[in-house]
Amino acid sequence: MNKPLVNPEIGQQIRDWRPYYEAKLGFRNHWYPVMYSTDLAEGEVKPGKLLGEDLLVRRSGGTVHCIKDQCLHRGVPLSRKVECYGKDTITCWYHGWTYQWADGTLCDILTDPSSKLIGTRALKTYPVQEAKGMVFVFLGDVAAGAQPPALATDLPPGFLDPDRAAYGIRRLVKANWRLGAENGFDTTHIFIHKDSPFITGRDSALPLGFASAGTLQLDLREDPAASRGVVDCMAQHYRPLFEATLDGQTVLRSRAPTGKHNTIHTISLWMPGILSVENHPEADMVQYEFYTPHDADHHMYYQVIEKSGVTDAAQEAAFRAECESLHEPLALRGINDDDLWAREAMQGFYADDWGWLEEQLFEQDRNLLEWRRLASRCQRGIQTLAHVQGGA
């Protein structure tokens, strides 16, 4: 019997967001990025991992294919020694079992071409789409002859708009994907950015925190045929704090309270785990953060900046140059490096699952609770150890 991925005793005490608690490996039957398009040249084969499942990806004739990285015969990883004797097949280095990239069919066995198994077995394959310079894989179950849900339903609204140029980086973070998502959506975590080089480098009026300015109103989007997420209009709901006091004495001040660069007005968190920060790092840009489950203790952190109104190659080249010289060092790394070590610092508290009961949330964490509830209602399935081990 497989050991439970999460402690069922704890799950019984979590009522209105138990599926979220159980999704330690992420939500199944959703689209996730597995790499950037520029990471995969024509004819190249690369391994990847999503929700604990080992994948193998190849670009052939401009089309990207994805199969399970495990030979059916004795279970060895095909990626241990990639052998492709044709553009449409991959051969296991151990005994010569050969599979079609397109549908996973066992099309030949080089060490026994008369085997009756040929044509009767198939490796698991995964639907693939490329968009905005990213390779997305549908990690889940699709019935024969059926299609997975539209990619747009697992992306924030506007992400696929044709007039937007995209620039991104990715990093593996030593923390569960839920800690990444909640760190990004956590309103008062802005306190960790008080020494960020972004503040002085961009003359940014970044506050120390946000106090409630009244009853918090969150916009919940749950249409199953569209993007599903929680929208928090920060400019309407919070009062920025540029000074912190103890016993009536000011102990901290924002480094640039009168800064002219004031961008963040609305943040939102979308299924299956993507943050959207509007008007950041510039007023005509949006920063997206994908917290893609890698395994139970790590997530792949994709950071993408999109700029609207980009209509030709020259504008796109100028945008990329601006990102490389300014926005990547100051925003994607300057600000978000703080987030990486904050998530990793939380990992130990939640690793054995008891942290989900022992945490003591306060008023400003209501958006996190609403996210947990919405994710529990809108998920299409929960990834389990059985899926990882059996590929079912």
Side-chain angles (χ1 to χ4, degrees):
M1 180 179 295
N2 289 326
K3 179 182 177 182
L5 184 63
V6 294
N7 188 327
E9 178 185 347
I10 296 173
Q12 292 172 3
Q13 301 182 58
I14 298 175
R15 301 186 183 279
D16 56 350
W17 47 274
R18 182 170 177 174
Y20 182 76
Y21 162 72
E22 293 174 338
K24 196 169 191 174
L25 276 175
F27 291 121
R28 192 168 175 81
N29 300 312
H30 290 269
W31 290 95
Y32 293 94
V34 69
M35 62 184 61
Y36 288 107
S37 296
T38 53
D39 294 332
L40 192 67
E42 174 64 27
E44 192 171 15
V45 177
K46 282 195 173 180
K49 186 188 284 285
L50 289 176
L51 284 65
E53 292 193 30
D54 291 314
L55 316 176
L56 206 54
V57 183
R58 184 184 193 186
R59 187 187 300 280
S60 178
T63 300
V64 179
H65 300 285
C66 182
I67 62 175
K68 184 174 180 64
D69 185 16
Q70 185 179 68
C71 183
L72 294 173
H73 181 208
R74 302 301 298 273
V76 299
L78 299 171
S79 61
R80 185 66 61 86
K81 185 175 184 290
V82 174
E83 297 188 7
C84 293
Y85 299 111
K87 65 181 181 64
D88 299 322
T89 62
I90 183 169
T91 296
C92 180
W93 50 269
Y94 202 174
H95 299 97
W97 286 39
T98 301
Y99 305 92
Q100 293 280 353
W101 279 99
D103 58 11
T105 298
L106 176 65
C107 60
D108 212 329
I109 299 178
L110 301 190
T111 55
D112 186 1
S114 62
S115 173
K116 294 180 180 180
L117 288 183
I118 295 172
T120 68
R121 302 289 190 273
L123 268 179
K124 180 174 178 59
T125 60
Y126 303 81
V128 180
Q129 287 193 40
E130 283 191 86
K132 296 299 179 182
M134 305 179 79
V135 178
F136 292 92
V137 169
F138 183 77
L139 202 294
D141 311 296
V142 182
Q147 295 294 322
L151 175 61
T153 64
D154 284 338
L155 291 170
F159 183 85
L160 296 176
D161 286 357
D163 69 336
R164 289 189 180 187
Y167 176 91
I169 63 174
R170 67 170 177 164
R171 293 179 273 179
L172 186 64
V173 183
K174 298 176 182 178
N176 184 263
W177 74 274
R178 294 165 298 180
L179 303 184
E182 295 191 3
N183 160 252
F185 201 39
D186 172 1
T187 306
T188 52
H189 92 275
I190 198 170
F191 187 72
I192 67 174
H193 300 309
K194 58 184 176 295
D195 297 317
S196 170
F198 183 86
I199 297 176
T200 52
R202 301 297 290 137
D203 190 24
S204 174
L206 200 68
L208 298 173
F210 293 97
S212 300
T215 303
L216 179 60
Q217 299 294 323
L218 299 170
D219 183 7
L220 306 182
R221 311 279 183 88
E222 301 187 51
D223 183 350
S227 308
R228 292 140 300 147
V230 182
V231 181
D232 190 349
C233 296
M234 298 178 66
Q236 300 176 21
H237 303 149
Y238 305 99
R239 176 172 53 87
L241 299 176
F242 292 97
E243 288 189 351
T245 62
L246 285 175
D247 297 325
Q249 300 294 316
T250 298
V251 293
L252 279 176
R253 287 189 176 88
S254 171
R255 293 168 65 190
T258 60
K260 297 179 175 59
H261 197 75
N262 184 8
T263 59
I264 302 174
H265 301 292
T266 299
I267 60 172
S268 48
L269 190 54
W270 303 89
M271 291 292 291
I274 310 163
L275 185 76
S276 172
V277 185
E278 298 182 17
N279 301 306
H280 180 77
E282 297 286 352
D284 59 349
M285 298 179 185
V286 182
Q287 180 170 324
Y288 299 99
E289 300 184 14
F290 293 74
Y291 313 104
T292 301
H294 186 78
D295 55 30
D297 301 317
H298 300 79
H299 66 275
M300 189 63 76
Y301 181 37
Y302 292 85
Q303 301 163 261
V304 180
I305 297 174
E306 285 194 344
K307 178 181 175 67
S308 59
V310 178
T311 58
D312 58 44
Q315 291 176 333
E316 186 167 357
F319 166 65
R320 171 167 289 277
E322 181 181 352
C323 287
E324 290 175 346
S325 63
L326 181 64
H327 302 313
E328 180 178 338
L330 287 182
L332 300 184
R333 299 190 188 277
I335 285 184
N336 293 140
D337 282 357
D338 299 332
D339 296 307
L340 265 63
W341 60 259
R343 298 172 208 165
E344 292 177 351
M346 281 195 292
Q347 176 63 19
F349 181 68
Y350 289 91
D352 66 356
D353 303 327
W354 284 102
W356 298 104
L357 289 182
E358 295 171 353
E359 63 182 11
Q360 298 188 31
L361 304 183
F362 75 137
E363 294 88 344
Q364 297 289 57
D365 295 321
R366 182 189 158 192
N367 60 348
L368 302 185
L369 289 173
E370 290 298 340
W371 156 247
R372 295 177 186 180
R373 293 165 182 152
L374 180 138
S376 296
R377 295 191 299 268
C378 294
Q379 50 85 19
R380 302 190 189 110
I382 296 171
Q383 181 79 338
T384 67
L385 285 176
H387 291 124
V388 174
Q389 296 163 355

